[in-house]
Structure formats: structure tokens, C-alpha cells
Amino acid sequence: MRGVIFDLDGTLVDSLDDITAALARAFGELGLEALDRAAVERHVGHGARMLVRGALGDRAHLEEEALERFRAAYDDALVVHTRAFEGVHALPDALAARSTPTAVLSNKPHPMTRRVVQALFGHHPFVEVLGQRPSVRRKPDPAAALELAERLALPPAEILFVGDTRVDLRTARAAGMVAVGVRWGMRRPAELAGADHLVSHPEDILALLGGGA
């Protein structure tokens, strides 16, 4: 293994409080009851539209307005409570010291993805940071992951794809990469069944690359 692609939310950063707050603001503006953190957690990972759709349930007629309000609210307060998970900040630096190329791939909209990474990992030289772009199908479609493989100048089979959801595992498999599930993310461990590797601490990723911290 010679390169690493990271998912963002639930893998590098815990953004759930900011997402929950933005959704609560959007729902409040529509006179709807806000969802708590645990309820929001069940719907994240597939992009903003699927989050709003899942949170609305049978109120599908409100989807477009709720989505617009959520995006505006989240854009206004993108990195308020969002933080890197414990131990994660040291990982990109350790990989850079090994000259291991890294990238980020998220289903969060591309501009937001880049802003979060810049705010929390601005010092780290990721080869590329990609969020969801209108012209490219979102994960688990492998197109963006394969685009990153080209940017990393590595065969897909030599890349670890690190994430916290079933979507990430499916993306890794579809792209021919090695699927690594993180136990510290937003999902229950059962969702990571079938991962090539499960890791409990960011340092464990270094071991998969052939060494310790």
C-alpha cells in the first residue's frame, strides 16, 4: 500500500453537531420539530439531499425548500463545532513524513469539503481534496476515487480507501482499492462488516502501510 484516500465526515472530522444545528435551523424556519444528533446521524453519509429527505420522512413536498434552507444554514456555520477526531491530526503529518500521497473524497458539496479541510488541515499537503461535484456521480460510484488514483499516480490496488460507512466500503470495492473501516466514526461497527481492514486508532493506518507511528 502506497497511498491513502480519506473520507471526510466521520473519518477525519466529527461534523455531526454542525450538521445537526444547521438542520435544526432549517426545520425551525419551516415550523418543523428538529431532530436530535442520534436521529441525524442515521441519515448522513449520502449527501445533503438524502439527509434532508430522510429527516423529512413522509413530508416529501417540503424537500426542496428544506434542502435550500439547510444548505444556507450549514454554509453560514460550517466549522463551528466540527473538529478532527482524536489522534487524526497527527496522521496526515506522519504520512507526509513518509512521502505517502494522500487525498480526501467526500459526498459533501465540493466547496464545503475544501473549506472544512482548509480550516482543520490547512497545513497538510493533500494531493487533492474533492467533494461532490454536479458533473461527477457521488460515492459509491467509483469515478471520483479513480480520478484521485490518477492524481496520486498509483494503481487503485495500492491505495487504502479509509471511511466510516458502507458507502465508503462500496466505493473502495468498486474502484479496486483496499477498504479500511474506522471504528471511531459515525456508524455502528456492524455497518463496516466486509471491510478489508478495521482500525481502532489513526495510528493503525500507518501499520497497514508497513510501519508504526
Side-chain angles (χ1 to χ4, degrees):
M1 297 297 102
R2 296 196 291 146
V4 185
I5 297 174
F6 294 99
D7 169 53
L8 181 61
D9 300 273
T11 301
L12 293 178
V13 304
D14 182 353
S15 55
L16 194 55
D17 285 338
D18 284 336
I19 293 172
T20 301
L23 191 63
R25 174 177 150 184
F27 273 33
E29 291 172 355
L30 293 172
L32 304 176
E33 183 177 355
L35 278 68
D36 62 20
R37 177 184 167 102
V40 173
E41 184 176 4
R42 291 194 290 271
H43 299 296
V44 296
H46 301 273
R49 181 174 294 278
M50 297 307 293
L51 165 64
V52 169
R53 182 175 296 171
L56 283 172
D58 60 3
R59 297 165 293 194
H61 63 288
L62 295 174
E63 181 176 316
E64 294 302 327
E65 186 173 3
L67 179 61
E68 181 178 351
R69 290 176 182 271
F70 166 72
R71 285 175 170 162
Y74 192 35
D75 191 58
D76 285 345
L78 186 62
V79 191
V80 177
H81 302 290
T82 296
R83 297 291 183 270
F85 284 104
E86 182 178 356
V88 165
H89 256 308
L91 179 59
D93 291 336
L95 292 169
R98 294 162 168 250
S99 299
T100 300
T102 56
V104 175
L105 179 60
S106 175
N107 273 344
K108 186 191 294 293
H110 183 64
M112 290 184 176
T113 297
R114 294 182 69 87
R115 283 172 56 198
V116 171
V117 172
Q118 178 61 36
L120 299 179
F121 300 95
H123 66 287
H124 179 68
F126 288 109
V127 172
E128 184 61 274
V129 175
L130 296 180
Q132 194 275 319
R133 297 160 292 165
S135 60
V136 182
R137 292 176 64 88
R138 70 180 69 247
K139 296 184 295 183
D141 188 282
L146 293 173
E147 178 182 345
L148 287 177
E150 292 184 5
R151 294 297 305 274
L152 295 178
L154 292 172
E158 296 181 6
I159 297 173
L160 299 178
F161 193 106
V162 183
D164 72 311
T165 70
R166 186 176 294 113
V167 169
D168 295 313
L169 301 187
R170 289 173 59 197
T171 304
R173 292 194 195 98
M177 299 175 182
V178 176
V180 180
V182 303
R183 297 181 186 273
W184 61 80
M186 297 182 185
R187 289 292 193 263
R188 296 177 177 85
E191 183 163 337
L192 299 176
D196 296 306
H197 303 280
L198 291 175
V199 294
S200 299
H201 190 277
E203 290 183 358
D204 296 338
I205 293 171
L206 299 178
L208 297 178
L209 292 162

